[in-house]
Each structure stands twice: as structure tokens, then as C-alpha cells.
């Protein structure tokens, strides 16, 4: 598939989960394809980074479901921050662990998972849709008829589609991460009705163990509906061991949040480049040759 | 090594002291000075603690801050997701920042103003709600002022003692705000009412200065000791081993 083929499978109003974490291994070529499209009113579920910031900046995200939105070396995502402060996007802000349990519940097709996270904090006030449950079991050390503990029921974060980026994959959709952390990409795939996966390189199935152990094959084709080969597809986020974050590019992106003219120039030059190859060609033209390889 | 201890080094040692007695838990300080404090504690009086390399492994050796290429003595893989198993097990002591904190220890790092449309969107809830109801927490506030030590926080990310008073026995047993370290002093809640109290003032800081910079009624004992100075061995570790590049200075702005 191409990025545009993936976008053709999506529609406005969908709830879309995006893998990676902050400014790390984000499926950026797929995100840019959404930015070039007419898709709108999206609910975006993400351990947020520039994916969230960009979809806020173009106004295509109606709601963000998140625990944080960060660029790592720039702690606050400036486009997201601006959208929150101007009230142009709705927010479902959860504890980071509660967010994980929501994905897990969706993956396991149960309505919720219980947790103590959120009790005592403002998470419940900020999210009036959240409910608590009372454990049907007595507390540890309690008697049989002692009342059970009250817990927060984190509802399943069911996704219409998930977008993830892997280091390698085979053509049938078996994905491989070669960096230090998978984050939640496998759970995003399992929580979604359909999952589309970009990767740095498509390899033959019999080559999947050439670069990593069996432990790196955490996304089986069972949970994947389409594969896109996108070298440097996570740029400008990091994608170790293939490449690090392009900090110069990220800083340039971040600076556009307070500068409409700079945003317009950035948008037309990079985001509207006609396809991933055109984007890569524009990176080549940068004085630094397009950042780390 | 030369020169007397500076405020950043005194704060790092105060944070190290927050971990004293913790034993074999995952010490998870966030921020440069807290990480230096945590690594210092493990290198000296809390050798059983485990600590991450801030990426995805537990490293058994004393790593320098800010050096992604430093050789790690890897003792376990700890990807981000696995950290929640540690959080929920209770075997963790985190040191977080606080954009605002109040007298009961309620912490805000989410937003300034109404969260529905904040004047300033900050980091978000992050893991604070889960951390506080599962394991020990301390806070690091590099600039102590009436803007950070406030009467009432705008959003409660990490609940304080008043917010957990009516929650389950389990939560109350797990909840502990051990210390707050600021650039002026060290604070705790070691009193029956669980209200913030001055534990020590940093050398050269007057109690009046702390009271003026605090937006609520702080408990002050009759005798306020000075925060202890780093030992020569601690200064050596901070300056030569853990932070030879002096990154700790960047968290401080001159008063």
C-alpha cells in the first residue's frame, strides 16, 4: 500500500490510535497523508507527540485522548498547547497508566479495567464520563461481608483504526521493532478494528530474524491490515537503531506554533509535499542534508 | 574538586536523603537534580535501589547524567510499559516536579487556570494520579515562590493528604509524600495533621525568606536546622562522576 491508500480506508469522525511515544517512532508519513486529505472530526488516541500537534494545527482533530503530549527535548508540544489554550480541540486527559488500561481493555474486548489511578486526583472531575466500580470481593485481610474497594473503571479505548511504524515488516504484515522500546504499538494494533503499519523496510519473512531476536516480532499479521514501506517514515521523530531524532527540524517545526507565516511556509513546503518520496527529496535539499541517518 | 558546596549540590544531597531507608525499590527521580540525587543515594547509602538509564533498561552502574553513550551495566530490560507494573506493585519512589503545590501536598503539573480551557497547558496529568495512590512520592521545586507554593492548586494531578483521607485503607497505606525539596529548603508532612512543615532551611536562607515565598501557612518548628552539607565523598561523586558537565546548574535561576 501507499500512504494515500491507507488514508482512503479512513473516514471523517473516526477514532484513530497512533503508535510510538512522544517524539519517538511516530508513523509520520501516514500522518502527513492525513494532513493532505479532507479527513476531519477525528478523535486521536495517542501517547502524544508531533502527530497530535500537527492534527491540532490543521484543525482535523476534534478530540485528543492522551496522558501527555510532548516532543521529548521540547517538553510541551507547542501546537497542542496552543490548541488547548485557544479551545480549538476537546481533551480527554487520563493518567498514563489508566490510558494503558483503556487500550488493554479494548484489546481484550472487555468494557473496562479497574485501577486505583484517578481516585483523589482531578482525573474524575475532568472526565465526567468516567465511572467507579465496587470490588465484589472483600479487601485483603477483610471478612466475607466487608465492603469491597472502590476502583475507577477505565473504559475500553476502542479504535476504528490504528497507525503504527515499525523498523521492519514482511509483506504480509508481520512487524518488527529493533529499538529499545515497543511502547504500546502492539496494543494499538489489537485495540483497533483495522491496523495500518508503515515500516522502514519490507523484508522477506525468512529475513525477519536477521537483525533481531524472536522477541522483536511482537506485531503478528493477525492484527495488521496493510503495510506501507516508508524509509525514514518516522522523520523527524527518532526511529532507533535506524536513525535518531532530527532535532534541528523538530525545533523548526516547534517554532511555527507562534508564527503564522512560518507555519504556512512549513506546511506548504514539507507537509503538502506530494507523497513521501517528495518529502524525502525536500529533506535532501536542507543544508544539513535532512538530519541524522 | 575544589570550592565549597553550591546550592545545586546541597539540593541534590537533600533529594538523595529522601531515598534513605528505601532499600530495594525502583528509585525514579525525574529531572536533572533529582536524577543526580537518586544516583548519589545509590552510590552511597542505598546500594540496593534499582534505577533506569532514563531510556529502557535498569542500569546497575553509576551513570553520568546527559550522556546517552555512557556504558551501561544492564541488569534488566525496563521498557516504558513495564514501569506501570512497578508502579502498581508499590515498589517505587518517584520524584516529580510540581508547577503548583499546596499545604496538603496536592500537586499540579497539568494546567494553569481552568482545565477546560487553560491559561497555560502544562505537561498534563502524566502518571501522577496513579503514582500517588500506589507508592512513595517526593517533589522537586527548583524555584520556591508564592506562584509554586500556593493556597490552592488549579488542577490536582497528584493528590495530597486531604484528598486521600477518605479513600480506601489500601490507598492510604500506599500514599506517602516523603519530602519536598525546593531551592530554599526541605519540607515534609511528618505531623498528625499532615500539613506541610519546614524540615530544614538551606544554608544562608532565613526562615522569613521561606515564609514570604510560601502562599500558605507553613508549619515551622521552634528550631529549624540547616540542610546538611554534602560530604567530600558526595561532592566528588557529584562533580567528577555523576555530573562532570555541570548540567545541574541549568535548573537554577539566580534570585
Amino acid at each position: 500500500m501507499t500512504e494515500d491508500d491507507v488514508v482512503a480506508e479512513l473516514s471523517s469522525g473516526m477514532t484513530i490510535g497512533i503508535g510510538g511515544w512522544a517524539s519517538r517512532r511516530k508513523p509520520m508519513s501516514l500522518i502527513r497523508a492525513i494532513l493532505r486529505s479532507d479527513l476531519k472530526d477525528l478523535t486521536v488516541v495517542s501517547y502524544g507527540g508531533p502527530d497530535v500537534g500537527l492534527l491540532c494545527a490543521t484543525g482535523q482533530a476534534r478530540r485528543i485522548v492522551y496522558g501527555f503530549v510532548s516532543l521529548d527535548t521540547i517538553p510541551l508540544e507547542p501546537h497542542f498547547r496552543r490548541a488547548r489554550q485557544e479551545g480549538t480541540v476537546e481533551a480527554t486527559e487520563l493518567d498514563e497508566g489508566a490510558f494503558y488500561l483503556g487500550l488493554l481493555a479494548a484489546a481484550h474486548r472487555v468494557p473496562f479495567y479497574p485501577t486505583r489511578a484517578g481516585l483523589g486526583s482531578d482525573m474524575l472531575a475532568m472526565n465526567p464520563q468516567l465511572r467507579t466500580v465496587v470490588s465484589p470481593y472483600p479487601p485483603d485481610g477483610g471478612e466475607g461481608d466487608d465492603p469491597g474497594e472502590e476502583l475507577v473503571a477505565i473504559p475500553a479505548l476502542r479504535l476504528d483504526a490504528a497507525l503504527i511504524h515499525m523498523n521492519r515488516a514482511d509483506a504480509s504484515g508481520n512487524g518488527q521493532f529493533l529499538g529499545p522500546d515497543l511502547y504500546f504499538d502492539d496494543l494499538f494494533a489489537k485495540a483497533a478494528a483495522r491496523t495500518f503499519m508503515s515500516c522502514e523496510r519490507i523484508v522477506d519473512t525468512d529475513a525477519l530474524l536477521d537483525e533481531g531476536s524472536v522477541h522483536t516480532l511482537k506485531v503478528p499479521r493477525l492484527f495488521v491490515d496493510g503495510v506501507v514501506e516508508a524509509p525514514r517514515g518516522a522523520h523527524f521523530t527518532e526511529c532507533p537503531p535506524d536513525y535518531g531524532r532530527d532535532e534541528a527540524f523538530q525545533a523548526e517545526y516547534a517554532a511555527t506554533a507562534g508564527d503564522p507565516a512560518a507555519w504556512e511556509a512549513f506546511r506548504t513546503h514539507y507537509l503538502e509535499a506530494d507523497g513521501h518520496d517528495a518529502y524525502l527529496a525536500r529533506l535532501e535539499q536542507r543544508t544539513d542534508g535532512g538530519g541524522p541517518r | 574538586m575544589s570550592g565549597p558546596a553550591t546550592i545545586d549540590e546541597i539540593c541534590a544531597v537533600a533529594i538523595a536523603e529522601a531515598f534513605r531507608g528505601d532499600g530495594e525499590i525502583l528509585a525514579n527521580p525525574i529531572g536533572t537534580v533529582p536524577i543526580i540525587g537518586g544516583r548519589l543515594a545509590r552510590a552511597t547509602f542505598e546500594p540496593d535501589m534499582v534505577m533506569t538509564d532514563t531510556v529502557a533498561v535498569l542500569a546497575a552502574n553509576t551513570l553520568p547524567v546527559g550522556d546517552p553513550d555512557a556504558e551501561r551495566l544492564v541488569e534488566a530490560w525496563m521498557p516504558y510499559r513495564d514501569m506501570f507494573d512497578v508502579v502498581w506493585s508499590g515498589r517505587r519512589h518517584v520524584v516529580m516536579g510540581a508547577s503548583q503545590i499546596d499545604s496538603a501536598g496536592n500537586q499540579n503539573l497539568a494546567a494553569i487556570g481552568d482545565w477546560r480551557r487553560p491559561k497555560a497547558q502544562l505537561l498534563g496529568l502524566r502518571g501522577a494520579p496513579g503514582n500517588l495512590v500506589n507508592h512513595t512520592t517526593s517533589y522537586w521545586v527548583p524555584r520556591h515562590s508564592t506562584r509554586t507554593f500556593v493556597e490552592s492548586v488549579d488542577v490536582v494531578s497528584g493528590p495530597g493528604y486531604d484528598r486521600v483521607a477518605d479513600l480506601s485503607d489500601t490507598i492510604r497505606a500506599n500514599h506517602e509524600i516523603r519530602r519536598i525539596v525546593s531551592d530554599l529548603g526541605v519540607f515534609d508532612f511528618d505531623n498528625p495533621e499532615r500539613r506541610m512543615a519546614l524540615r530544614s532551611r538551606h544554608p544562608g536562607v532565613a526562615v522569613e525568606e521561606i515564609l514570604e515565598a510560601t502562599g500558605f501557612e507553613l508549619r515551622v518548628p521552634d528550631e529549624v536546622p540547616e540542610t546538611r552539607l554534602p560530604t567530600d565523598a558526595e561532592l566528588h561523586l557529584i562533580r567528577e562522576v555523576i555530573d562532570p558537565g555541570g548540567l545541574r546548574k541549568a535548573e537554577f535561576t539566580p534570585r
Side-chain angles (χ1 to χ4, degrees), chain A residues 29-45:
Chain A
S29 73
L30 294 171
I31 301 299
R32 280 195 309 280
I34 294 177
L35 302 178
R36 292 193 301 273
S37 77
D38 296 331
L39 290 176
K40 59 180 183 176
D41 294 329
L42 301 174
T43 294
V44 177
V45 178

Side-chain angles (χ1 to χ4, degrees), chain A residues 11-270:
Chain A
S11 49
S12 293
M14 274 188 168
T15 296
I16 297 180
I18 301 172
W21 193 94
S23 189
R24 308 181 194 183
R25 206 162 37 69
K26 286 288 178 181
M28 297 299 282
S29 73
L30 294 171
I31 301 299
R32 280 195 309 280
I34 294 177
L35 302 178
R36 292 193 301 273
S37 77
D38 296 331
L39 290 176
K40 59 180 183 176
D41 294 329
L42 301 174
T43 294
V44 177
V45 178
S46 177
Y47 282 91
D51 50 337
V52 168
L54 286 164
L55 289 163
C56 286
T58 60
Q60 288 167 287
R62 183 175 56 80
R63 174 175 289 276
I64 310 294
V65 182
Y66 63 97
F68 63 81
V69 184
S70 171
L71 298 175
D72 281 299
T73 44
I74 300 170
L76 295 170
E77 217 296 347
H79 289 276
F80 167 73
R81 186 176 201 197
R82 183 185 170 128
R84 283 283 287 134
Q85 292 169 188
E86 293 182 353
T88 56
V89 71
E90 295 171 34
T92 298
E93 185 168 309
L94 298 172
D95 169 83
E96 294 172 26
F99 186 108
Y100 163 27
L101 293 177
L103 288 177
L104 197 65
H108 293 174
R109 300 190 300 165
V110 294
F112 67 89
Y113 271 124
T115 181
R116 296 187 181 98
L119 295 170
S121 80
D122 274 344
M123 190 178 94
L124 298 178
M126 295 165 85
N127 295 282
Q129 79 282 9
L130 291 179
R131 298 285 179 269
T132 61
V133 289
V134 175
S135 168
Y137 304 107
D140 282 348
E143 301 293 325
D145 54 356
D146 283 359
E149 189 178 351
E150 185 183 39
L151 299 162
V152 182
I154 303 297
L157 290 170
R158 290 187 199 85
L159 309 173
D160 296 311
L163 308 176
I164 62 176
H165 184 75
M166 291 282 119
N167 297 94
R168 305 287 177 270
D170 69 9
S172 54
N174 293 300
Q176 179 175 44
F177 79 108
L178 295 171
D181 205 322
L182 177 63
Y183 306 111
F184 299 86
D185 286 20
D186 55 333
L187 272 188
F188 276 102
K190 292 165 186 168
R194 304 181 75 198
T195 294
F196 301 98
M197 174 172 68
S198 57
C199 66
E200 289 297 311
R201 195 162 76 236
I202 292 179
V203 299
D204 291 337
T205 305
D206 66 9
L208 281 172
L209 292 176
D210 289 355
E211 292 181 85
S213 71
V214 70
H215 310 89
T216 63
L217 299 174
K218 288 284 287 179
V219 183
R221 63 185 166 86
L222 198 57
F223 299 107
V224 177
D225 298 272
V227 185
V228 177
E229 185 173 55
R232 305 193 75 204
H235 180 271
F236 50 90
T237 71
E238 67 167 35
C239 187
D242 293 312
Y243 46 88
R245 185 178 303 121
D246 188 343
E247 295 286 0
F249 192 99
Q250 173 162 290
E252 198 173 307
Y253 158 71
T256 64
D259 184 341
W263 165 250
E264 199 51 30
F266 181 87
R267 191 176 66 80
T268 51
H269 189 62
Y270 292 113

Side-chain angles (χ1 to χ4, degrees), chain B residues 100-162:
Chain B
Q100 294 178 323
I101 193 160
D102 70 16
S103 66
N106 292 295
Q107 166 239 27
N108 173 21
L109 42 68
I112 299 296
D114 187 334
W115 57 264
R116 293 170 193 84
R117 184 174 169 183
K119 271 190 285 210
Q121 171 72 38
L122 304 177
L123 293 175
L125 293 170
R126 299 242 38 169
N131 290 344
L132 269 291
V133 295
N134 281 290
H135 58 64
T136 302
T137 300
S138 293
Y139 293 112
W140 161 235
V141 185
R143 188 162 182 89
H144 191 135
S145 80
T146 52
R147 291 162 62 97
T148 48
F149 285 68
V150 297
E151 183 71 45
S152 174
V153 301
D154 294 350
V155 181
V156 176
S157 306
Y161 283 97
D162 56 345

